[in-house]
Amino acid sequence: MLKKLYSRIFLLFLLLMIFLPAHAGYDKTSEDYLKNRRHITPITPAVENFAQTVVKSALKKETGRNFKVKLSAYTLSSMRKGIFKSLDVYGNDVEIKGINLSFVHVYTLSDYNWIDYKQNPPVFKSDINCAYEIGLSQDAINEALLAPKYQKEIEKINQQVYPLFCIKKVQTELTDDRIKVIIFYNYPLSPRENDRRFSVSTNLAIQNGEIISTKVYLDRKYRNLSSQSVLNLINLLKPLEYTLDFLNPGNCNFNIENVNIINNIIQIGGKILIKGE
C-alpha cells in the first residue's frame, strides 16, 4: 500500500518537475501566454463583475452619467496589471469636451489590451483597436458651431468671399434623412440691421474618411443659384467635420466609416487605433 502511494507521489513530483520549468520562463503578461495557455486560476464572473463596477464608478465620477460596461479578462493577476480581453462601454446623454452626445458606444476589437492604469496619466502598453458609434443631435452640433474656433474658420471663408457677402453664423436642423444648413449672412456693401438667412438641405456621405454633402435641395426661390456652387460652400463650411474634430482624442488614429440620420439624430461610426508604447 505504501509502495503504491510512494509511486504516485514520485510520479506527481516528476510531472511537476517537467511541467514547471517549461512554464517558468513564460512572461505571464504576454499575449501568447494569456491567449494560448491554460490557466490554473482563470478569471471568475464575480471578479469581472467587480471590475465592471469599478469602471462604471470611474465613468460616473468623470462624466456624471451612468454607463453600461462589459469587461472580459484572462486572469486575476493580469487584470491587476491592467490587461484585459475586451471592454464594451455604452452611455446615453454624455458630455465630452463640452459637446453633448445623444449616445456613445465604444468597444474593443483587439482581444489583448494592456493599460498601465497605475501611472498618471495611464500608459497604453499595447495597441488598442476600438470601434465607436456616437449620436449627435442638432442642438449638440449648433452648440459646437458657436465655439470661437469655428468662428475663426468662418472668418477665413469670409476673406475668400468678400465683398460678395459676409457669413455671420451657421446653424443646422435635422429632418428625415437630411441635414439642413442655415447660413446667416449680410452684404458688407449694403448691410441690413438683421442678418439675411439662406438655408439648404443636403444628403451626407463618407469620402476619403470625411463627411461631405453630396446633393443639395434648394427652395424654388433660390433656383437661380448654381447647385454646385452651393454644394462647394457647404463642404467648405463642413459643420459636422468641425464638430467631430472637436471630439477627436488627438493621440490616436481616428477615422469615420459611416454616417446616417435616424430619428433626427446623426449616427456616426468608425474606428479608433491607440498606439501602445
Side-chain angles (χ1 to χ4, degrees):
M1 184 72 177
L2 286 175
K3 186 177 180 181
K4 186 181 292 186
L5 179 61
Y6 288 148
S7 297
R8 289 182 177 178
I9 292 173
F10 179 79
L11 180 60
L12 287 171
F13 181 78
L14 184 62
L15 289 171
L16 285 173
M17 291 297 291
I18 296 171
F19 179 79
L20 290 176
H23 289 72
Y26 285 137
D27 177 2
K28 294 186 178 181
T29 63
S30 71
E31 185 174 359
D32 175 69
Y33 177 80
L34 291 172
K35 291 172 62 175
N36 301 322
R37 306 290 170 178
R38 179 177 294 179
H39 308 297
I40 298 174
T41 56
I43 204 76
T44 64
V47 173
E48 285 183 334
N49 288 336
F50 175 76
Q52 288 167 183
T53 300
V54 173
V55 175
K56 288 178 183 179
S57 298
L59 291 171
K60 174 78 171 180
K61 183 178 180 180
E62 186 71 22
T63 67
R65 295 290 186 268
N66 293 316
F67 284 80
K68 295 179 181 178
V69 176
K70 177 63 177 177
L71 174 72
S72 179
Y74 290 101
T75 65
L76 179 59
S77 60
S78 65
M79 190 175 69
R80 283 174 174 168
K81 289 181 178 293
I83 300 171
F84 54 95
K85 189 183 300 183
S86 64
L87 180 64
D88 190 311
V89 176
Y90 182 90
N92 290 312
D93 190 24
V94 180
E95 184 178 298
I96 299 178
K97 293 185 178 180
I99 296 178
N100 192 67
L101 303 180
S102 301
F103 71 87
V104 57
H105 184 199
V106 180
Y107 53 96
T108 55
L109 298 173
S110 44
D111 56 1
Y112 175 84
N113 308 279
W114 186 356
I115 303 175
D116 187 351
Y117 63 91
K118 294 180 181 179
Q119 297 194 44
N120 188 19
V123 174
F124 294 91
K125 304 292 286 185
S126 69
D127 291 353
I128 298 182
N129 195 19
C130 303
Y132 74 89
E133 299 166 347
I134 60 172
L136 284 169
S137 68
Q138 67 181 39
D139 289 341
I141 300 168
N142 291 336
E143 187 173 354
L145 297 182
L146 292 175
K149 186 176 178 181
Y150 186 69
Q151 298 307 309
K152 290 181 180 179
E153 295 300 317
I154 291 179
E155 287 304 317
K156 292 178 183 177
I157 297 173
N158 283 337
Q159 291 174 10
Q160 299 178 45
V161 299
Y162 184 88
L164 297 177
F165 59 89
C166 178
I167 299 173
K168 298 298 185 179
K169 67 176 180 178
V170 177
Q171 288 184 347
T172 61
E173 290 181 6
L174 302 179
T175 55
D176 300 323
D177 62 343
R178 300 177 190 172
I179 180 172
K180 179 184 286 186
V181 180
I182 306 164
I183 302 171
F184 294 85
Y185 70 99
N186 223 319
Y187 295 121
L189 300 181
S190 58
R192 282 184 182 175
E193 184 177 350
N194 296 319
D195 293 330
R196 296 168 170 85
R197 171 178 166 146
F198 170 76
S199 63
V200 57
S201 295
T202 175
N203 294 128
L204 299 173
I206 306 296
Q207 185 179 88
N208 299 324
E210 295 185 349
I211 299 177
I212 64 166
S213 295
T214 57
K215 184 178 180 180
V216 294
Y217 301 87
L218 294 168
D219 291 342
R220 292 185 64 183
K221 61 182 178 180
Y222 302 129
R223 62 181 178 272
N224 60 324
L225 294 177
S226 164
S227 296
Q228 187 59 50
S229 297
V230 174
L231 184 62
N232 292 340
L233 176 61
I234 299 303
N235 283 324
L236 195 61
L237 289 168
K238 53 184 180 184
L240 283 178
E241 277 295 305
Y242 171 77
T243 305
L244 290 174
D245 182 63
F246 207 66
L247 295 170
N248 192 334
N251 59 344
C252 60
N253 296 327
F254 175 91
N255 69 22
I256 305 168
E257 295 183 350
N258 55 75
V259 58
N260 296 285
I261 302 177
I262 302 175
N263 296 327
N264 292 336
I265 297 293
I266 295 184
Q267 300 188 10
I268 301 164
K271 301 286 193 311
I272 302 173
L273 174 61
I274 305 172
K275 298 294 291 183
E277 286 192 342

